[in-house]
Amino acid sequence: MFELKLKNGEIVKVRQATGTDAKSIIDFYNIVGGETNFLSFGGNEFKRNEVEYETFLEDTFNEKNSIILLVTINDQLISIGSINSSQKERTKHVGTLGIVVKKEYWGLSLGKLLMQSLIDWAKQTDLTRKIQLVTNEDNLKAIQLYKNLGFEIEGVIKEDTYINGKYCNTLLMGLFIK
């Protein structure tokens, strides 16, 4: 466990997720899915079986090249950051990064701090050589953050999401770990 200091001075706690967090993570995703159009799911669309998700979390906890971090204030979940990697020999060096921040905590540098923590973790694994992510091309603030952290646009998936009556493109971005 470690702590991060937000731009407003608040201290948040960060710890690795375990299987016992399954229900709270599912509930969290179903709330934050309704707070933004920049996730791959909307409000109450994160339909995961709790028992299966518990197994997924335990498996991830035990993988040397994957991690799920939970950020809390007063034991309330406010953000999740993860790097999930394949366990296949040919692709285990690539991790897929995901970040979700509860709307109430937007603009406090939490996403940036959490991403930097994940990048630092990846550098220490000696397994991860590349971090990739996907983002909606309209998510300009996030894209700028990713670029500031060294990510480069590697491709575009055209019209792969449908949000509010509009087809949207997804950007593929990558960062090589040195």
Side-chain angles (χ1 to χ4, degrees), residues 54-90:
E54 184 176 324
T55 301
F56 165 77
L57 291 171
E58 286 299 329
D59 290 345
T60 302
F61 183 85
N62 291 312
E63 294 170 359
K64 292 183 177 6
N65 60 346
S66 297
I67 191 167
I68 300 173
L69 296 177
L70 305 182
V71 182
T72 61
I73 291 181
N74 301 323
D75 295 323
Q76 294 297 308
L77 187 56
I78 63 164
S79 182
I80 299 174
S82 62
I83 293 180
N84 288 297
S85 302
S86 169
Q87 300 308 296
K88 296 175 186 170
E89 196 61 37
R90 293 180 179 187

mmCIF file of all heavy atoms in Angstrom, residues 54-90:
data_model
loop_
_atom_site.group_PDB
_atom_site.id
_atom_site.type_symbol
_atom_site.label_atom_id
_atom_site.label_comp_id
_atom_site.label_asym_id
_atom_site.label_seq_id
_atom_site.Cartn_x
_atom_site.Cartn_y
_atom_site.Cartn_z
ATOM 1 N N GLU A 54 -14.229 -12.457 -9.062
ATOM 2 C CA GLU A 54 -13.363 -12.723 -7.912
ATOM 3 C C GLU A 54 -12.182 -13.596 -8.338
ATOM 4 O O GLU A 54 -11.027 -13.329 -7.969
ATOM 5 C CB GLU A 54 -14.183 -13.410 -6.814
ATOM 6 C CG GLU A 54 -13.434 -13.647 -5.526
ATOM 7 C CD GLU A 54 -14.332 -14.242 -4.451
ATOM 8 O OE1 GLU A 54 -15.519 -13.876 -4.385
ATOM 9 O OE2 GLU A 54 -13.819 -15.078 -3.675
ATOM 10 N N THR A 55 -12.449 -14.621 -9.132
ATOM 11 C CA THR A 55 -11.387 -15.493 -9.651
ATOM 12 C C THR A 55 -10.430 -14.698 -10.536
ATOM 13 O O THR A 55 -9.211 -14.841 -10.430
ATOM 14 C CB THR A 55 -11.992 -16.680 -10.432
ATOM 15 O OG1 THR A 55 -12.838 -17.408 -9.555
ATOM 16 C CG2 THR A 55 -10.903 -17.587 -10.978
ATOM 17 N N PHE A 56 -10.984 -13.850 -11.420
ATOM 18 C CA PHE A 56 -10.155 -12.996 -12.281
ATOM 19 C C PHE A 56 -9.227 -12.116 -11.441
ATOM 20 O O PHE A 56 -8.031 -11.991 -11.728
ATOM 21 C CB PHE A 56 -11.039 -12.129 -13.191
ATOM 22 C CG PHE A 56 -10.319 -10.993 -13.834
ATOM 23 C CD1 PHE A 56 -9.484 -11.208 -14.933
ATOM 24 C CD2 PHE A 56 -10.447 -9.690 -13.351
ATOM 25 C CE1 PHE A 56 -8.802 -10.162 -15.536
ATOM 26 C CE2 PHE A 56 -9.778 -8.642 -13.942
ATOM 27 C CZ PHE A 56 -8.943 -8.869 -15.036
ATOM 28 N N LEU A 57 -9.757 -11.512 -10.392
ATOM 29 C CA LEU A 57 -8.951 -10.636 -9.531
ATOM 30 C C LEU A 57 -7.845 -11.416 -8.830
ATOM 31 O O LEU A 57 -6.713 -10.934 -8.722
ATOM 32 C CB LEU A 57 -9.833 -9.927 -8.504
ATOM 33 C CG LEU A 57 -10.795 -8.881 -9.061
ATOM 34 C CD1 LEU A 57 -11.760 -8.415 -7.971
ATOM 35 C CD2 LEU A 57 -10.039 -7.695 -9.649
ATOM 36 N N GLU A 58 -8.151 -12.605 -8.357
ATOM 37 C CA GLU A 58 -7.136 -13.438 -7.703
ATOM 38 C C GLU A 58 -6.049 -13.844 -8.690
ATOM 39 O O GLU A 58 -4.855 -13.811 -8.365
ATOM 40 C CB GLU A 58 -7.776 -14.682 -7.068
ATOM 41 C CG GLU A 58 -8.546 -14.396 -5.806
ATOM 42 C CD GLU A 58 -7.704 -13.807 -4.681
ATOM 43 O OE1 GLU A 58 -6.495 -14.119 -4.579
ATOM 44 O OE2 GLU A 58 -8.265 -13.024 -3.895
ATOM 45 N N ASP A 59 -6.468 -14.244 -9.892
ATOM 46 C CA ASP A 59 -5.489 -14.604 -10.921
ATOM 47 C C ASP A 59 -4.586 -13.419 -11.238
ATOM 48 O O ASP A 59 -3.361 -13.558 -11.320
ATOM 49 C CB ASP A 59 -6.189 -15.081 -12.198
ATOM 50 C CG ASP A 59 -6.871 -16.433 -12.034
ATOM 51 O OD1 ASP A 59 -6.579 -17.137 -11.033
ATOM 52 O OD2 ASP A 59 -7.686 -16.786 -12.902
ATOM 53 N N THR A 60 -5.187 -12.250 -11.410
ATOM 54 C CA THR A 60 -4.414 -11.042 -11.721
ATOM 55 C C THR A 60 -3.445 -10.715 -10.588
ATOM 56 O O THR A 60 -2.290 -10.368 -10.836
ATOM 57 C CB THR A 60 -5.358 -9.852 -11.976
ATOM 58 O OG1 THR A 60 -6.244 -10.192 -13.055
ATOM 59 C CG2 THR A 60 -4.585 -8.595 -12.340
ATOM 60 N N PHE A 61 -3.899 -10.852 -9.362
ATOM 61 C CA PHE A 61 -3.052 -10.582 -8.199
ATOM 62 C C PHE A 61 -1.792 -11.449 -8.228
ATOM 63 O O PHE A 61 -0.710 -11.014 -7.821
ATOM 64 C CB PHE A 61 -3.846 -10.838 -6.914
ATOM 65 C CG PHE A 61 -3.095 -10.513 -5.654
ATOM 66 C CD1 PHE A 61 -3.080 -9.221 -5.147
ATOM 67 C CD2 PHE A 61 -2.403 -11.504 -4.965
ATOM 68 C CE1 PHE A 61 -2.387 -8.918 -3.984
ATOM 69 C CE2 PHE A 61 -1.704 -11.212 -3.801
ATOM 70 C CZ PHE A 61 -1.698 -9.907 -3.315
ATOM 71 N N ASN A 62 -1.919 -12.668 -8.728
ATOM 72 C CA ASN A 62 -0.805 -13.617 -8.730
ATOM 73 C C ASN A 62 0.077 -13.563 -9.977
ATOM 74 O O ASN A 62 1.103 -14.239 -10.023
ATOM 75 C CB ASN A 62 -1.343 -15.038 -8.518
ATOM 76 C CG ASN A 62 -1.888 -15.217 -7.117
ATOM 77 O OD1 ASN A 62 -1.246 -14.854 -6.140
ATOM 78 N ND2 ASN A 62 -3.087 -15.751 -7.016
ATOM 79 N N GLU A 63 -0.322 -12.764 -10.964
ATOM 80 C CA GLU A 63 0.488 -12.629 -12.173
ATOM 81 C C GLU A 63 1.593 -11.607 -11.948
ATOM 82 O O GLU A 63 1.353 -10.539 -11.389
ATOM 83 C CB GLU A 63 -0.392 -12.201 -13.357
ATOM 84 C CG GLU A 63 -1.395 -13.253 -13.768
ATOM 85 C CD GLU A 63 -2.435 -12.770 -14.758
ATOM 86 O OE1 GLU A 63 -2.417 -11.576 -15.135
ATOM 87 O OE2 GLU A 63 -3.283 -13.595 -15.142
ATOM 88 N N LYS A 64 2.793 -11.916 -12.402
ATOM 89 C CA LYS A 64 3.926 -11.012 -12.211
ATOM 90 C C LYS A 64 3.899 -9.812 -13.160
ATOM 91 O O LYS A 64 4.572 -8.823 -12.924
ATOM 92 C CB LYS A 64 5.234 -11.778 -12.393
ATOM 93 C CG LYS A 64 5.499 -12.803 -11.310
ATOM 94 C CD LYS A 64 6.838 -13.466 -11.506
ATOM 95 C CE LYS A 64 7.254 -14.446 -10.464
ATOM 96 N NZ LYS A 64 6.392 -14.825 -9.420
ATOM 97 N N ASN A 65 3.100 -9.900 -14.240
ATOM 98 C CA ASN A 65 3.076 -8.832 -15.225
ATOM 99 C C ASN A 65 1.722 -8.129 -15.321
ATOM 100 O O ASN A 65 1.437 -7.441 -16.295
ATOM 101 C CB ASN A 65 3.495 -9.369 -16.600
ATOM 102 C CG ASN A 65 2.589 -10.467 -17.107
ATOM 103 O OD1 ASN A 65 1.795 -11.034 -16.354
ATOM 104 N ND2 ASN A 65 2.701 -10.767 -18.383
ATOM 105 N N SER A 66 0.876 -8.293 -14.316
ATOM 106 C CA SER A 66 -0.428 -7.625 -14.265
ATOM 107 C C SER A 66 -0.666 -7.083 -12.864
ATOM 108 O O SER A 66 -0.188 -7.653 -11.878
ATOM 109 C CB SER A 66 -1.558 -8.601 -14.621
ATOM 110 O OG SER A 66 -1.434 -9.081 -15.932
ATOM 111 N N ILE A 67 -1.421 -5.978 -12.803
ATOM 112 C CA ILE A 67 -1.735 -5.385 -11.498
ATOM 113 C C ILE A 67 -3.030 -4.575 -11.615
ATOM 114 O O ILE A 67 -3.302 -3.969 -12.656
ATOM 115 C CB ILE A 67 -0.580 -4.493 -10.981
ATOM 116 C CG1 ILE A 67 -0.797 -4.103 -9.527
ATOM 117 C CG2 ILE A 67 -0.380 -3.275 -11.881
ATOM 118 C CD1 ILE A 67 0.428 -3.487 -8.863
ATOM 119 N N ILE A 68 -3.825 -4.594 -10.558
ATOM 120 C CA ILE A 68 -5.006 -3.737 -10.456
ATOM 121 C C ILE A 68 -4.871 -2.973 -9.157
ATOM 122 O O ILE A 68 -4.762 -3.567 -8.085
ATOM 123 C CB ILE A 68 -6.312 -4.552 -10.462
ATOM 124 C CG1 ILE A 68 -6.434 -5.345 -11.757
ATOM 125 C CG2 ILE A 68 -7.525 -3.626 -10.279
ATOM 126 C CD1 ILE A 68 -7.602 -6.320 -11.793
ATOM 127 N N LEU A 69 -4.847 -1.643 -9.270
ATOM 128 C CA LEU A 69 -4.714 -0.777 -8.096
ATOM 129 C C LEU A 69 -6.043 -0.094 -7.793
ATOM 130 O O LEU A 69 -6.705 0.423 -8.693
ATOM 131 C CB LEU A 69 -3.638 0.285 -8.338
ATOM 132 C CG LEU A 69 -2.218 -0.225 -8.530
ATOM 133 C CD1 LEU A 69 -1.276 0.946 -8.827
ATOM 134 C CD2 LEU A 69 -1.741 -0.996 -7.305
ATOM 135 N N LEU A 70 -6.403 -0.099 -6.518
ATOM 136 C CA LEU A 70 -7.602 0.581 -6.049
ATOM 137 C C LEU A 70 -7.195 1.815 -5.262
ATOM 138 O O LEU A 70 -6.313 1.741 -4.409
ATOM 139 C CB LEU A 70 -8.417 -0.346 -5.146
ATOM 140 C CG LEU A 70 -8.815 -1.704 -5.721
ATOM 141 C CD1 LEU A 70 -9.648 -2.473 -4.707
ATOM 142 C CD2 LEU A 70 -9.551 -1.553 -7.037
ATOM 143 N N VAL A 71 -7.860 2.937 -5.550
ATOM 144 C CA VAL A 71 -7.580 4.189 -4.852
ATOM 145 C C VAL A 71 -8.795 4.521 -3.997
ATOM 146 O O VAL A 71 -9.928 4.540 -4.490
ATOM 147 C CB VAL A 71 -7.309 5.338 -5.855
ATOM 148 C CG1 VAL A 71 -6.973 6.622 -5.106
ATOM 149 C CG2 VAL A 71 -6.191 4.959 -6.826
ATOM 150 N N THR A 72 -8.537 4.777 -2.697
ATOM 151 C CA THR A 72 -9.636 5.056 -1.775
ATOM 152 C C THR A 72 -9.379 6.310 -0.943
ATOM 153 O O THR A 72 -8.236 6.695 -0.708
ATOM 154 C CB THR A 72 -9.860 3.870 -0.805
ATOM 155 O OG1 THR A 72 -8.668 3.663 -0.041
ATOM 156 C CG2 THR A 72 -10.229 2.601 -1.551
ATOM 157 N N ILE A 73 -10.479 6.915 -0.531
ATOM 158 C CA ILE A 73 -10.479 7.961 0.492
ATOM 159 C C ILE A 73 -11.505 7.507 1.522
ATOM 160 O O ILE A 73 -12.655 7.217 1.165
ATOM 161 C CB ILE A 73 -10.873 9.349 -0.071
ATOM 162 C CG1 ILE A 73 -9.786 9.883 -0.998
ATOM 163 C CG2 ILE A 73 -11.131 10.335 1.059
ATOM 164 C CD1 ILE A 73 -10.079 11.258 -1.582
ATOM 165 N N ASN A 74 -11.102 7.431 2.786
ATOM 166 C CA ASN A 74 -11.995 6.962 3.853
ATOM 167 C C ASN A 74 -12.673 5.649 3.473
ATOM 168 O O ASN A 74 -13.877 5.486 3.648
ATOM 169 C CB ASN A 74 -13.038 8.032 4.196
ATOM 170 C CG ASN A 74 -12.409 9.319 4.655
ATOM 171 O OD1 ASN A 74 -11.397 9.318 5.342
ATOM 172 N ND2 ASN A 74 -12.981 10.439 4.242
ATOM 173 N N ASP A 75 -11.899 4.732 2.926
ATOM 174 C CA ASP A 75 -12.372 3.409 2.519
ATOM 175 C C ASP A 75 -13.413 3.436 1.399
ATOM 176 O O ASP A 75 -14.054 2.422 1.136
ATOM 177 C CB ASP A 75 -12.908 2.618 3.722
ATOM 178 C CG ASP A 75 -11.807 2.310 4.725
ATOM 179 O OD1 ASP A 75 -10.677 2.042 4.288
ATOM 180 O OD2 ASP A 75 -12.090 2.335 5.937
ATOM 181 N N GLN A 76 -13.594 4.586 0.742
ATOM 182 C CA GLN A 76 -14.495 4.685 -0.406
ATOM 183 C C GLN A 76 -13.672 4.622 -1.685
ATOM 184 O O GLN A 76 -12.714 5.389 -1.849
ATOM 185 C CB GLN A 76 -15.301 5.992 -0.369
ATOM 186 C CG GLN A 76 -16.274 6.084 0.781
ATOM 187 C CD GLN A 76 -17.347 5.014 0.694
ATOM 188 O OE1 GLN A 76 -18.002 4.850 -0.327
ATOM 189 N NE2 GLN A 76 -17.516 4.269 1.785
ATOM 190 N N LEU A 77 -14.045 3.737 -2.596
ATOM 191 C CA LEU A 77 -13.338 3.567 -3.855
ATOM 192 C C LEU A 77 -13.592 4.769 -4.757
ATOM 193 O O LEU A 77 -14.744 5.119 -5.022
ATOM 194 C CB LEU A 77 -13.817 2.272 -4.529
ATOM 195 C CG LEU A 77 -13.109 1.808 -5.779
ATOM 196 C CD1 LEU A 77 -11.610 1.647 -5.546
ATOM 197 C CD2 LEU A 77 -13.709 0.483 -6.243
ATOM 198 N N ILE A 78 -12.511 5.426 -5.218
ATOM 199 C CA ILE A 78 -12.665 6.606 -6.068
ATOM 200 C C ILE A 78 -11.957 6.453 -7.419
ATOM 201 O O ILE A 78 -12.171 7.266 -8.316
ATOM 202 C CB ILE A 78 -12.173 7.891 -5.371
ATOM 203 C CG1 ILE A 78 -10.680 7.817 -5.074
ATOM 204 C CG2 ILE A 78 -12.983 8.167 -4.110
ATOM 205 C CD1 ILE A 78 -10.051 9.161 -4.738
ATOM 206 N N SER A 79 -11.114 5.443 -7.561
ATOM 207 C CA SER A 79 -10.399 5.260 -8.817
ATOM 208 C C SER A 79 -9.824 3.849 -8.889
ATOM 209 O O SER A 79 -9.520 3.238 -7.866
ATOM 210 C CB SER A 79 -9.267 6.292 -8.929
ATOM 211 O OG SER A 79 -8.584 6.182 -10.152
ATOM 212 N N ILE A 80 -9.687 3.374 -10.120
ATOM 213 C CA ILE A 80 -9.052 2.084 -10.373
ATOM 214 C C ILE A 80 -8.073 2.274 -11.520
ATOM 215 O O ILE A 80 -8.396 2.908 -12.531
ATOM 216 C CB ILE A 80 -10.080 0.996 -10.746
ATOM 217 C CG1 ILE A 80 -11.080 0.789 -9.604
ATOM 218 C CG2 ILE A 80 -9.373 -0.322 -11.088
ATOM 219 C CD1 ILE A 80 -12.222 -0.154 -9.940
ATOM 220 N N GLY A 81 -6.887 1.727 -11.361
ATOM 221 C CA GLY A 81 -5.891 1.731 -12.427
ATOM 222 C C GLY A 81 -5.351 0.327 -12.587
ATOM 223 O O GLY A 81 -5.155 -0.383 -11.602
ATOM 224 N N SER A 82 -5.130 -0.077 -13.825
ATOM 225 C CA SER A 82 -4.671 -1.447 -14.033
ATOM 226 C C SER A 82 -3.746 -1.568 -15.228
ATOM 227 O O SER A 82 -3.786 -0.752 -16.149
ATOM 228 C CB SER A 82 -5.873 -2.377 -14.246
ATOM 229 O OG SER A 82 -6.594 -2.002 -15.401
ATOM 230 N N ILE A 83 -2.919 -2.583 -15.159
ATOM 231 C CA ILE A 83 -2.183 -3.070 -16.314
ATOM 232 C C ILE A 83 -2.451 -4.566 -16.357
ATOM 233 O O ILE A 83 -2.121 -5.291 -15.418
ATOM 234 C CB ILE A 83 -0.669 -2.795 -16.225
ATOM 235 C CG1 ILE A 83 -0.403 -1.297 -16.300
ATOM 236 C CG2 ILE A 83 0.068 -3.541 -17.343
ATOM 237 C CD1 ILE A 83 1.066 -0.913 -16.213
ATOM 238 N N ASN A 84 -3.095 -5.007 -17.424
ATOM 239 C CA ASN A 84 -3.389 -6.426 -17.615
ATOM 240 C C ASN A 84 -2.572 -6.938 -18.788
ATOM 241 O O ASN A 84 -2.565 -6.323 -19.858
ATOM 242 C CB ASN A 84 -4.883 -6.648 -17.875
ATOM 243 C CG ASN A 84 -5.689 -6.433 -16.620
ATOM 244 O OD1 ASN A 84 -5.521 -7.155 -15.646
ATOM 245 N ND2 ASN A 84 -6.534 -5.431 -16.617
ATOM 246 N N SER A 85 -1.881 -8.039 -18.557
ATOM 247 C CA SER A 85 -0.987 -8.610 -19.565
ATOM 248 C C SER A 85 -1.348 -10.053 -19.847
ATOM 249 O O SER A 85 -1.793 -10.781 -18.960
ATOM 250 C CB SER A 85 0.458 -8.538 -19.079
ATOM 251 O OG SER A 85 0.826 -7.208 -18.801
ATOM 252 N N SER A 86 -1.090 -10.448 -21.066
ATOM 253 C CA SER A 86 -1.277 -11.838 -21.464
ATOM 254 C C SER A 86 -0.259 -12.705 -20.727
ATOM 255 O O SER A 86 0.825 -12.248 -20.366
ATOM 256 C CB SER A 86 -1.058 -11.964 -22.974
ATOM 257 O OG SER A 86 -0.992 -13.316 -23.356
ATOM 258 N N GLN A 87 -0.586 -13.950 -20.526
ATOM 259 C CA GLN A 87 0.356 -14.889 -19.934
ATOM 260 C C GLN A 87 1.003 -15.756 -21.014
ATOM 261 O O GLN A 87 1.806 -16.630 -20.714
ATOM 262 C CB GLN A 87 -0.347 -15.743 -18.881
ATOM 263 C CG GLN A 87 -0.941 -14.930 -17.732
ATOM 264 C CD GLN A 87 0.062 -13.976 -17.103
ATOM 265 O OE1 GLN A 87 1.063 -14.417 -16.534
ATOM 266 N NE2 GLN A 87 -0.171 -12.675 -17.221
ATOM 267 N N LYS A 88 0.686 -15.459 -22.278
ATOM 268 C CA LYS A 88 1.277 -16.186 -23.401
ATOM 269 C C LYS A 88 2.702 -15.681 -23.643
ATOM 270 O O LYS A 88 2.967 -14.472 -23.574
ATOM 271 C CB LYS A 88 0.441 -15.992 -24.666
ATOM 272 C CG LYS A 88 -0.948 -16.577 -24.547
ATOM 273 C CD LYS A 88 -1.773 -16.259 -25.778
ATOM 274 C CE LYS A 88 -3.201 -16.724 -25.593
ATOM 275 N NZ LYS A 88 -4.059 -16.234 -26.662
ATOM 276 N N GLU A 89 3.583 -16.600 -23.914
ATOM 277 C CA GLU A 89 5.005 -16.275 -24.075
ATOM 278 C C GLU A 89 5.247 -15.182 -25.111
ATOM 279 O O GLU A 89 6.067 -14.286 -24.907
ATOM 280 C CB GLU A 89 5.777 -17.549 -24.461
ATOM 281 C CG GLU A 89 7.268 -17.439 -24.277
ATOM 282 C CD GLU A 89 7.702 -17.176 -22.829
ATOM 283 O OE1 GLU A 89 7.082 -17.714 -21.893
ATOM 284 O OE2 GLU A 89 8.677 -16.418 -22.651
ATOM 285 N N ARG A 90 4.526 -15.217 -26.205
ATOM 286 C CA ARG A 90 4.774 -14.266 -27.294
ATOM 287 C C ARG A 90 4.301 -12.856 -27.007
ATOM 288 O O ARG A 90 4.754 -11.908 -27.647
ATOM 289 C CB ARG A 90 4.108 -14.760 -28.578
ATOM 290 C CG ARG A 90 4.742 -16.021 -29.106
ATOM 291 C CD ARG A 90 4.083 -16.477 -30.364
ATOM 292 N NE ARG A 90 4.731 -17.692 -30.857
ATOM 293 C CZ ARG A 90 4.465 -18.259 -32.005
ATOM 294 N NH1 ARG A 90 3.541 -17.737 -32.801
ATOM 295 N NH2 ARG A 90 5.094 -19.348 -32.365
#
